[in-house]
Amino acid sequence: NVLVAGSNSYHDNRHNFYSIVSINPENGMIGLTFLPPSLRLDLSGRGSDYRKINEIDFSDFDEVSEALERQLKINIPFYVELYAVDVIRIVDLIEGVSIFKLDQVDNPHLRFGLNYFDGRRIAEYMNHSDGNSIFQKYDRVQDILLSIYHRKDKYEKMLNIPFVSELTNGMLS
């Protein structure tokens, strides 16, 4: 299990997007659980120190990990930070994503039907949800992931050590 914490820019180890990626190597399945930024975690374990996850400084991740394990019953040993520039880079490395959009999308850059998104357009698509709703942003991330999943044959050829090295270059420190 890995906690993915995302932001548009660096904010002192605080983020506004959270998901848990659960990888099961036995059956090859990957699960994704979105956590709302307003999720309250009991950092003390005694019910005396509740804070929203987006208000917690991740520099002491052990405290966050223990609170998530107590409340969600999921062991999450580490987390990965993704910023908008990382998302742009990842999408560009996989040569873009095509997403089918309905006609009720209120965006002059999108049209009804299949739309091609490069990295910059994906970041724009996620960040410009109506009313800046985090739940609509999660829906848009899910749109992107489902589009990638449905075209997984195209992306499976990229899953090799050179690609992963290029992908993580600069993301891990």
Side-chain angles (χ1 to χ4, degrees), residues 79-113:
Y79 74 103
V80 174
E81 293 177 316
L82 286 179
Y83 295 95
V85 293
D86 300 320
V87 171
I88 291 168
R89 187 164 177 264
I90 291 167
V91 172
D92 287 345
L93 280 172
I94 64 170
E95 300 170 356
V97 176
S98 294
I99 299 176
F100 185 85
K101 293 312 306 166
L102 300 174
D103 59 354
Q104 66 260 36
V105 173
D106 186 23
N107 184 329
H109 303 292
L110 298 178
R111 62 187 190 288
F112 171 76

Side-chain angles (χ1 to χ4, degrees), residues 1-172:
N1 298 314
V2 179
L3 178 66
V4 177
S7 301
N8 281 326
S9 59
Y10 182 75
H11 289 110
D12 297 324
N13 294 310
R14 288 179 170 83
H15 307 86
N16 53 15
F17 172 88
Y18 304 90
S19 66
I20 299 171
V21 178
S22 301
I23 302 168
N24 186 336
E26 292 175 10
N27 64 12
M29 300 295 289
I30 296 175
L32 183 66
T33 305
F34 293 117
L35 302 177
S38 59
L39 176 70
R40 292 169 42 97
L41 295 177
D42 178 14
L43 297 179
S44 69
R46 297 182 302 278
S48 60
D49 186 15
Y50 279 97
R51 283 191 267 163
K52 292 179 183 177
I53 194 169
N54 66 345
E55 296 172 350
I56 299 171
D57 182 341
F58 272 43
S59 60
D60 183 15
F61 184 69
D62 289 343
E63 191 175 53
V64 176
S65 177
E66 290 168 9
L68 286 168
E69 187 168 2
R70 276 192 304 274
Q71 288 177 235
L72 302 178
K73 309 298 185 231
I74 300 173
N75 178 29
I76 304 169
F78 63 96
Y79 74 103
V80 174
E81 293 177 316
L82 286 179
Y83 295 95
V85 293
D86 300 320
V87 171
I88 291 168
R89 187 164 177 264
I90 291 167
V91 172
D92 287 345
L93 280 172
I94 64 170
E95 300 170 356
V97 176
S98 294
I99 299 176
F100 185 85
K101 293 312 306 166
L102 300 174
D103 59 354
Q104 66 260 36
V105 173
D106 186 23
N107 184 329
H109 303 292
L110 298 178
R111 62 187 190 288
F112 171 76
L114 202 60
N115 289 266
Y116 170 78
F117 290 85
D118 63 4
R120 186 147 312 279
R121 287 188 72 198
I122 280 289
E124 232 177 73
Y125 177 65
M126 285 189 293
N127 286 322
H128 293 93
S129 60
D130 297 336
N132 201 28
S133 164
I134 192 67
F135 298 106
Q136 285 187 5
K137 289 181 185 195
Y138 285 173
D139 284 346
R140 291 177 178 199
V141 170
Q142 189 171 5
D143 285 347
I144 295 161
L145 295 173
L146 285 172
S147 296
I148 291 171
Y149 173 77
H150 288 298
R151 299 193 66 208
K152 64 182 176 257
D153 295 342
K154 173 186 174 188
Y155 303 113
E156 282 178 344
K157 66 181 180 197
M158 296 180 180
L159 291 177
N160 54 50
I161 292 180
F163 178 78
V164 172
S165 296
E166 176 69 20
L167 183 68
T168 59
N169 184 22
M171 290 173 54
L172 302 176

